[in-house]
Every structure is written in C-alpha cells, then in structure tokens.
Amino acid sequence: MSTNSINGATDQESLTLPLLTSHRSLANSTSQVAIVGANVCPIESLDYEIAENDFFKQDWRTRGKIQIFQYVFMKWSLCFLIGVIVSLIGFFNNIAVENIAGIKFVITSNMMLFNRYGMAFLVFSVSNLVLTLFASIVTAFVAPAAAGSGIPEVKAYLNGVDAPGILSLRTLFVKIIGSISAVSSSLHIGKAGPMVHIGACVASLLGQGGSKKYRLTWKWLRFFKNDRDRRDLVTCGSAAGIAAAFRAPVGGVLFALEEMASWWRSALLWRAFFVTAVVAIVLRALIDLCLSGKCGLFGTGGLIMFDVYSANVTYHLIDVPSVLLLGVIGGILGSLYNFLLDMVLRVYNLINEKGIFYRIFLACSISIFTSCLLFGLPWLASCQPCPADASEACPTIGRSGNYKKFQCQPGHYNDLASLIFNTNDDAIRNLFSRDTDSEFQYSSILIFFVTCFFLSIFSYGIVVPAGLFVPVIVTGASYGRFVGMLVGSESSLNHGLYAVLGAASFLGGSMRMTVSLCVIILELTNNLLLLPLIMLVLLVSKTVADAFNGNIYDLIMKVKGFPYLEMHSEPYMRQLTVGDVVTGPLQLFHGLEKVGNIVHVLQTTTHNGFPVIDDSPLSESPVLYGLILRAHLIELLKKKVFSSTPVPIGADAFNQFSASDFSKKGSGNGDKIEDIEITEEEMEMYLDLHPFTNASPYTVVETMSLAKARVLFRELGLRHLLVIPKISGRSPVVGILTRHDFMPEHILGAGGKESGHLGHLSQAMEVALENEVVRTPI
C-alpha cells in the first residue's frame, strides 16, 4: 500500500477512530518499579499539588501572623542549616580523603626509595582493596541506594519520582563513609556527585517535619511535612552539594537550575543562592584553619581550595581554530563516553542481579585491576631530568607535587607517575598548572588519557558511592593538554590553559550543561579572563554531542528505570489524544460512601488518587466533585468519623483532626490499610468525603492532545490529571492520567497485539510517526 493511500485513509478516519487500538488491559496505577541501588524496587510519584479541600482552607483561615512568621523563619533557618551541615560534610570528606590517600602514597613512596618495589605494590594494592571492600560491603548491605553518584536519583526526585530509600538517613551515612573510602582507594571516581546526593539527603531529612521515633516533634517543623516544601529544600541541598565540592557557590545555584530542578521560581533562586553563600563562607573559614597546618596532610590538595590558574591570559584570533577543535573532539569523545558507560552499566546490572556476593566481587576485581594499572603503567615512562627553574622541589618525595620520583634516580622525575600515581585532585592540579609546557611527554599524556577514559567507565557502576564529575575533568584535561602539545608554538596559549579547555569540552560533551559548567570552571580556576574561550568550547562540544545521544545522567536514569518526564514531548504525541492512552478500570467513590466499599477498593488496588462524584439525591445528574488521596482516606478510616446513615458530616468533625494528621509522613512511615481494624458493623456505616476532597483538581478534556496534557502535567508537577468527557451525559470522569501514561515505553506498547506496525502501534500511528519523526520536538 502506498503512503498516499495510507494518508488518505488516516485523514478520513482520524475523526472517528483512535490512533491507538482500544484493547487495553493495564490498570491505571502510579506504582512502577525501577533499579534503586542494585534492587528492583516499587516507586511512587510525589504529590506536589496542594489538596485544596475544606479542611485545608479552614486550617489556613485559622493561621495568624505568628504562624506565618514561624513558617518563613523556619524556611530560612533550614536553608541556613543545610548550608552549614553540607559545607562541614564536604570539608570533612576532603580532610579524610586527603589524609587516608596521603598516608597510603607516603608509605608506598618511602618503600620505593629503598627499592622495595614488590612490597610497595603489595601495600598499595592491598590498602586499595581493603578500602574498596569496606565501601562495597557497607553499600551493598546497609544502603544499596547509595551506590553511584546519586545525581540521577535526586534529579528524578525533583521531577516527581519517589524511589524508596534514596534520601534516607541510612543512605546519607553510607554515602559519606562509602565515598571517603572509595575515593581514597584510588578508584577513578569522584566525590562531587556523592556530595550532591549528600546535600539532598540532608535537606530532605531536615524537612521531614520532626521524628516521633526520636522525639523530635517541634511544632514549628510541621509546616514542611509536604512534598512541595521538601522539593524546594532538596533543590537547595543539591546546589549546596556542588558548592561544597568545588567551592563554587554561583555554579552550584546554576547547576541546580540547569540540570537538577524540573520546577523553578524566583523565590527558590533566592534561597538557593543564600544556601550556597553560607557554604562558601564556612568553607573559606575552614580552609584558613587548614592553611595554618592543623588538618594533617590536607591543605595542599583538594578541589575545595582549587586556585590553579590565577594568571593573566592573553589569546588572539589565531587561537580560535584550536579551541573549536577541542570543542569538536570533546563532543565526539563525550558522546562515545556516554555510549560506552551505558553499555557497561547494563552489563553490570546483569551481574548485580545475581546477588550481593557478585556485586562485591565485581568491585574488588575493579580495585585490583586499577591498582595494577596505576602502579605498573608509570614504569613505561622514561625518567626526565628535573628542570633547573622548577617552582617546587624536584623530585617530589611523598604525595603531592608535579615531579614524582617513583623509580627514578636522584635528580630525575617520572612524569606519568605525577599524573597516574596520584589522587585525582592532584592530577588535575598538575595538568592545569601553568609554566609547565615541557614537563610531560607525548606518550605519557596519551597513556594517561586512555587509562582515565576507560577506568572511569568501568569504575562507575560498581556498588560504591562514585561520582563522574572529577573523572571527566581529569580525562578532558589530559587530552586538552595533548592537543596543546600538538599545537605547540603555533598558539599563544600555554598547555595548562588547553587542559582547562579540554576539561570543559569533555564536560560539555558528556553532561551537556553549558551555563553552570562555565561558571563552575571559572570558579575553580579563579580567572574570569577564560570566560569567552570556555563559553565557545562548551557550546561547540554540546552541539556536537547532542547529535549522537543524550546526556549522561538521562541515560543512567533510563538504565535505572526512573520514569523521568523530559521537558519536550515526543513528536508523535501531537497525533494522540489523552483519550487514546487513558487506562482503566476507573475506581470511583461517591461523596457519601459506604465504609466497606472504601476498604475494599483500598485493599484491592494500589491507586493513590480517586475521583469523587455526586449523584442523586445530592445532584440531579452525576457530576465530578473532586479528587481524594489514598493517604487521606486511610486517615479518615483511622479516626472512624462514620455515621450510620448517608448524611453530610457536621462542621464539628473538623475538631477531631489537626493539620498534621493529613501531612506527608516521613520516608517509609506511611500508614497502610492493612494496619486498620474495621468491624463488620462499621463496614455498613457511611463516610462523608466532601470536606476532605480536593474540589479543584486539574482536569483536561478527553480530546486534548497528549503533548499538550504532558506539558501541563510536568510544568505543574502533578501526580494525577483527571480526564473528563467532551460530551455531557456520559460518566463525569473518563479516567486519570498519571506519570506512567506519559512514558513513551507505555504509549508505544499500548496498542493491541494484533497490530504489527512499529511494535504494537496501529497503522494510523505508523503514519503519524513517519510524518512527525523528522520534526523538531515540542
């Protein structure tokens, strides 16, 4: 059949036939599953919408100026606490990593001074293995959700996805301890990503509204026992995490705005800026303390005190082609990096599914392999004589410095060991350092780049807290410096500046951020003169990489199974209506409902929202009254505000409830219908749902395009979107759209099995895809 004939048939039938076949059997449940840590866990959506029922309105009317002051004061107080706590944790992490890794390198170097190379390798590899084993055991047994960077999990949470355990107290402690241990073990991972997760955990825990278990029930905290305020605090926490990791307060705010948050407003921007300012002030004070020599080995390394390129930079028009080349290379390598990491994570998931022993064994295997590479590869490099005008001691005996002695004779240094047999922070410092154009050999830089590129890919998916920011910076800086060495005297830029631009290009090619990365790099290097070059290289690398695949965090979220709603809709969604994808059966409640019916529905379904309708005698014809949440129904059953006859509840019933009764419980503390005991006599009684039903839920007509409804759903942060009929006289509500109904995997697999086009799509849907797939997504 020709395309034109198909188009003609589609045009004639489009007004009467749905694009998707109607044989739908999936229940409309918001419950889905995703890989959290190494376990497949059920996930739920978050209720960012305020349930404006009669009880809520009555509660707000009774609040005076004192309660409003308490709310505002506590909001800013919690922001201040987030900044202080996250900065202290970031500082503690850096001290721990610097000292643990420093002691390890000092002991190893001292052994090598006496030519005890075998014993030095044994100490180095065993210490790395023990640190990795500890981190993997703690993560696998205590908090599997702490594995990885945590940025995809926090990003999904801010999009409305609530996966169990990702922001719990247990996850926070494991993230801190595991990150210190894993980074100290010389695995090619970073601590910036875990710091974002740590900041989000701190913010979420402060916003729990107190704890009855630990007797922290201060009434001022009850204002924050809802998903909307917790979302704002978690956003501020993620900004604080980046600010603490890189000492980049403005970069942290922009990172939260550009990459993390799906919903933003000016008041949130102001609070996030306040939080990161607190982080910067506290870190500055603590760094001054360390400069006085009171922090052990800490003080010469650590990204939170990166001040690596505070020199005057001069560049000319002739330097632009080489900068553009860096951007193109960064885009290509970044997209390749994302592709390979995606493949490795899928393989690791197959291994992790076999059990905890396999996860720990995989982590230990990567640790042993990494130790062999880090200790063995420097032997491939030839020793270089120390430069006469070296700005520091040469060769370096110990941990830090540009001129590592390794196995070389006195007066010589091993340039590859200066990069590879070192912490990532010091490797970045060596690559970024100025006036060192003759320090590294071509072969050493190339070996280091290949090693970093693949080690960072294989090290990320193991069961330890691991970040991607620092490994990507190291890898990008290595090939940036290599390009600078190739360009040589034809460019006025020195090799350290090329390393900075290379790091920016690889960050842009892998993570696809522009504004936030630009500011973070500027704050790291402490040089505003780099701004035009960094902007240019980020724009080019992102543009090139976008032609191949998505950013790294979106790919990881897809591997983990998080139902993340992107900002744009797929082109074919414009050809579908919400009536084409809404599923059933639909569970309804009447305004005056029998208790037995409520209990039965709650026990037999997992839905979290139910339409409430009124019919005779309250209404001449069935009308939609509103939407009531599952948690509110369970609370009403607990209080047992029943009546023997179907009559409206009196206003005095409000006295039996408080606002905290209907507030969001802490993580994992929600009540369940199975915990409520209802007698047979109570089953025959009635419950008036009107005062506790959200009488103004968001609704869409069934003929609205799916793309338009999706924009509404995401921008408003909804969990339920009611679909009402186009023609009156039918049921007052057709169904409920949830996050699941907007996922492409659900839509593309929703057609009947008899349709053989494009994997379960109807023939008309195939034409819609052919016509729309080449257009720009909305």
Side-chain angles (χ1 to χ4, degrees), residues 28 123 152 197-198 210 320 345 353 366 389 460 581 622 685 691 728:
N28 184 13
V123 171
H197 196 178
I198 289 170
V320 173
L345 289 178
E353 287 175 356
I366 297 297
D389 57 346
Y460 179 76
V581 299
M685 302 181 74
S728 60

Side-chain angles (χ1 to χ4, degrees), residues 30-50:
T30 56
S31 179
Q32 296 172 276
V33 294
I35 297 176
V36 181
N39 302 320
V40 178
C41 302
I43 62 174
E44 300 287 346
S45 294
L46 296 167
D47 291 298
Y48 289 148
E49 180 189 2
I50 295 177

Side-chain angles (χ1 to χ4, degrees), residues 97 100-101 104-105 124-125 127-133 135 178-189 367 370-371 374 462 464:
V97 170
I100 294 174
K104 177 184 65 179
F105 281 115
F124 180 72
S125 58
S127 59
N128 288 341
L129 179 61
V130 170
L131 290 169
T132 303
L133 181 63
S179 176
I180 293 173
S181 181
V183 175
S184 302
S185 69
S186 293
L187 289 172
H188 200 64
I189 56 178
S367 175
T370 301
S371 297
L374 297 184
I462 61 178
V464 297

Side-chain angles (χ1 to χ4, degrees), residues 62-126:
T62 57
R63 293 186 182 183
K65 293 183 179 180
I66 295 179
Q67 286 78 15
I68 296 175
F69 170 77
Q70 290 175 347
Y71 175 71
V72 175
F73 176 78
M74 284 303 301
K75 182 175 290 187
W76 287 99
S77 298
L78 290 180
C79 288
F80 176 78
L81 287 176
I82 291 171
V84 172
I85 295 174
V86 173
S87 58
L88 291 175
I89 292 175
F91 180 75
F92 170 75
N93 283 6
N94 275 280
I95 287 182
V97 170
E98 292 289 318
N99 284 279
I100 294 174
I103 292 173
K104 177 184 65 179
F105 281 115
V106 166
I107 294 175
T108 305
S109 298
N110 289 338
M111 289 183 175
M112 297 184 72
L113 286 176
F114 297 98
N115 298 327
R116 301 173 60 187
Y117 300 119
M119 183 59 67
F121 171 71
L122 184 63
V123 171
F124 180 72
S125 58
V126 169

Side-chain angles (χ1 to χ4, degrees), residues 38 347-359:
V347 174
Y348 280 4
N349 280 340
L350 298 177
I351 299 174
N352 293 335
E353 287 175 356
K354 295 183 179 181
I356 293 180
F357 172 78
Y358 288 90
R359 302 171 203 164

Side-chain angles (χ1 to χ4, degrees), residues 150-165:
I151 291 180
E153 285 82 356
V154 178
K155 186 176 179 180
Y157 179 89
L158 295 177
N159 190 254
V161 178
D162 187 18

